[in-house]
Amino acid sequence: MIDQQQTVTIRGYIERITFFNAENGFLVARLQEKGKRELTTIVGKIGHINAGESVKLSGKWVQDKKYGEQFQFDTCETTVPATVHGIEKYLGSGLIKGIGPVLAKRIVKVFAAKTLQIIDASPQKLSAVPGIGPVRLEMVKEAWEKHKNIQELMLFLQEYGVGAAHCARIYKTYGKKAISVVKENPYRLAADVRGIGFITADNMAKRMGIEPDSLFRAKEGIIYVLGNLTDEGHVYCPYALLLEKAAELLEIGKEVV
């Protein structure tokens, strides 16, 4: 009998995605676990994933009244597939604009296990595959670059405690400059990205080494306090009270604020 309280780790590859909400990152998918015949239903929040990707998931088994046994994951680490079957599924899942299941099959037939290596390092060789002309080749190169940027961003965010569910929104906001923008000023996330507030950005800033009493942080804290007061219906805040509230929130001296 499965212990539904214990945190466990499972591995496998995404056989298919049943449901994905791009707004909040909620995913329902079917996982082919190593050594298991039947597919496992997994649920959780993630920023970006495709069928065929190999994953390492940590979470708990839950018994859903309607759908039965599911694995509810809290963290997810992805790796590119290593098998020919996995690579074909990966490419044919819609991962790269311009490559569908039929074309994915043709590409893998030509390059086998070296397919992803070819796309990454020598994409011009794809011209040898029937159906890939100059226009489609450019489309594939652009889509692959975007995919790499998103994967890199996910790893970067995980390092600083920001969940993968926010990845898509951050990338949509800043594009390929996302990592450099966040490194320069993590507090911009609170202002620019829906769903990320000051507390999340502040936790990230602390992990990045920004000093608690930096003027940079104090400025963002004041804006956050004013925003909260506005949300409560206030149209004015006495200067002394603002200093007090910001200093209390940030746990720094009033003189810094």
Side-chain angles (χ1 to χ4, degrees), residues 18 32 41 60 76 90 98 104 136 166 168 171-172 200 221 231 235:
T18 308
Q32 180 63 70
T41 299
K60 296 177 181 178
C76 173
Y90 186 57
R136 194 181 292 268
H166 294 305
Y171 187 81
K172 189 177 179 182
T200 299
D231 290 343
V235 295

Side-chain angles (χ1 to χ4, degrees), residues 9 22 29 35 44 60 68 96 107 124 134 163 165 169 197 201 213 222 240 246 252:
T9 299
K60 296 177 181 178
I96 300 176
I107 294 170
Q124 64 278 3
R169 286 188 198 142
D213 60 351
I222 291 167
I252 58 176

Side-chain angles (χ1 to χ4, degrees), residues 28-200:
V28 180
R30 301 283 277 163
L31 181 77
Q32 180 63 70
E33 283 187 77
K34 254 188 172 181
K36 280 181 83 171
R37 222 173 186 184
E38 294 183 1
L39 298 176
T40 301
T41 299
I42 60 169
V43 296
K45 287 192 175 182
I46 194 166
H48 184 79
I49 201 162
N50 292 278
E53 285 191 81
S54 296
V55 293
K56 175 184 168 185
L57 305 168
S58 291
K60 296 177 181 178
W61 292 98
V62 296
Q63 193 68 36
D64 186 271
K65 289 180 181 178
K66 187 174 180 180
Y67 299 108
E69 188 178 83
Q70 300 177 338
F71 188 78
Q72 199 170 73
F73 66 88
D74 300 312
T75 62
C76 173
E77 292 176 30
T78 63
T79 57
V80 292
T83 66
V84 171
H85 172 72
I87 292 169
E88 185 183 319
K89 200 159 194 65
Y90 186 57
L91 285 181
S93 67
L95 164 74
I96 300 176
K97 190 177 179 183
I99 298 181
V102 175
L103 194 52
K105 199 178 190 73
R106 282 188 211 151
I107 294 170
V108 173
K109 189 175 180 181
V110 174
F111 301 112
K114 291 184 178 178
T115 296
L116 298 181
Q117 187 183 330
I118 294 292
I119 294 174
D120 190 41
S122 310
Q124 64 278 3
K125 290 183 179 179
L126 292 174
S127 301
V129 179
I132 298 185
V135 175
R136 194 181 292 268
L137 180 59
E138 284 307 308
M139 196 186 294
V140 169
K141 283 161 71 174
E142 189 179 321
W144 182 255
E145 189 64 28
K146 179 182 176 182
H147 170 69
K148 282 203 314 183
N149 288 337
I150 291 175
Q151 292 295 96
E152 190 181 348
L153 178 61
M154 278 179 68
L155 289 173
F156 171 76
L157 293 174
Q158 283 172 12
E159 185 181 345
Y160 293 107
V162 178
H166 294 305
C167 181
R169 286 188 198 142
I170 294 172
Y171 187 81
K172 189 177 179 182
T173 304
Y174 305 122
K176 62 182 180 181
K177 295 179 181 177
I179 292 178
S180 60
V181 167
V182 175
K183 276 182 177 177
E184 184 185 338
N185 180 5
Y187 291 102
R188 279 187 62 176
L189 294 172
D192 300 341
V193 183
R194 188 168 56 82
I196 297 182
F198 172 80
I199 302 300
T200 299

Side-chain angles (χ1 to χ4, degrees), residues 185-255:
N185 180 5
Y187 291 102
R188 279 187 62 176
L189 294 172
D192 300 341
V193 183
R194 188 168 56 82
I196 297 182
F198 172 80
I199 302 300
T200 299
D202 193 39
N203 286 335
M204 187 175 189
K206 286 175 187 173
R207 292 190 183 204
M208 291 174 72
I210 293 177
E211 294 296 327
D213 60 351
S214 71
L215 296 181
F216 193 58
R217 180 171 180 262
K219 174 188 172 183
E220 300 300 332
I222 291 167
I223 294 169
Y224 176 68
V225 170
L226 287 171
N228 282 347
L229 290 168
T230 303
D231 290 343
E232 290 169 10
H234 300 290
V235 295
Y236 168 79
C237 177
Y239 180 72
L241 180 61
L242 178 60
L243 290 185
E244 186 183 321
K245 282 184 172 290
E248 184 182 347
L249 167 78
L250 300 169
E251 298 180 336
I252 58 176
K254 289 182 185 177
E255 68 281 359

